[in-house]
Amino acid sequence: RLLQLLPGEYDEPITCNLFPIDSVELYEYEALSYVWGQVNNSSIIHVNDWEMLITENLEVALRSLRLEHEPRLLWIDAICINQSSVTEKTSQVAKMGDIYKAAKRVLVFLGPE
């Protein structure tokens, strides 16, 4: 799966589209590496018109990376991998090296500071 982060200003709600793909090599996307942070400090984003809980660190990263006037195509493990499926997590973690290699750019978010 890849995530299309829809444009907006920093303080606007975060809205995204998540869609399945056959191969990462077919897309130009950026992969995000960041510290997950505390799971109990969660924020809500809208993905495919559904509410999704994400960590506060990921929310800050998405707000900081979001473009004002155009969408941004991203691969983010916490969203693009179904975290409730052990089978999928195991399979996708094994592919993460290839996912990062195929990315147009790897973004590292260390925090707002």
Side-chain angles (χ1 to χ4, degrees):
R1 295 178 196 93
L2 287 176
L3 184 77
Q4 181 187 47
L5 176 60
L6 297 177
E9 294 185 20
Y10 187 88
D11 292 330
E12 293 179 335
I14 297 171
T15 306
C16 309
N17 294 317
L18 184 66
F19 58 94
I21 59 171
D22 292 328
S23 172
V24 290
E25 287 84 17
L26 301 175
Y27 295 87
E28 283 198 13
Y29 64 94
E30 298 167 294
L32 175 63
S33 178
Y34 69 102
V35 176
W36 277 40
Q38 296 295 321
V39 186
N40 56 353
N41 290 340
S42 53
S43 302
I44 294 174
I45 63 170
H46 294 91
V47 179
N48 296 351
D49 296 324
W50 291 88
E51 288 185 350
M52 178 179 200
L53 290 175
I54 60 169
T55 64
E56 187 177 8
N57 283 357
L58 180 52
E59 178 194 14
V60 173
L62 289 173
R63 289 188 183 284
S64 299
L65 295 171
R66 177 169 50 183
L67 302 173
E68 251 185 75
H69 300 291
E70 61 186 90
R72 193 166 197 170
L73 195 56
L74 301 166
W75 182 86
I76 304 170
D77 56 357
I79 298 175
C80 296
I81 298 173
N82 180 354
Q83 297 300 315
S84 62
S85 169
V86 174
T87 304
E88 181 172 333
K89 283 196 298 188
T90 302
S91 167
Q92 291 298 305
V93 167
K95 297 176 184 176
M96 283 177 68
D98 293 333
I99 291 168
Y100 280 102
K101 279 186 212 171
K104 172 176 75 172
R105 180 182 2 227
V106 176
L107 307 168
V108 178
F109 187 79
L110 300 177
E113 294 82 25

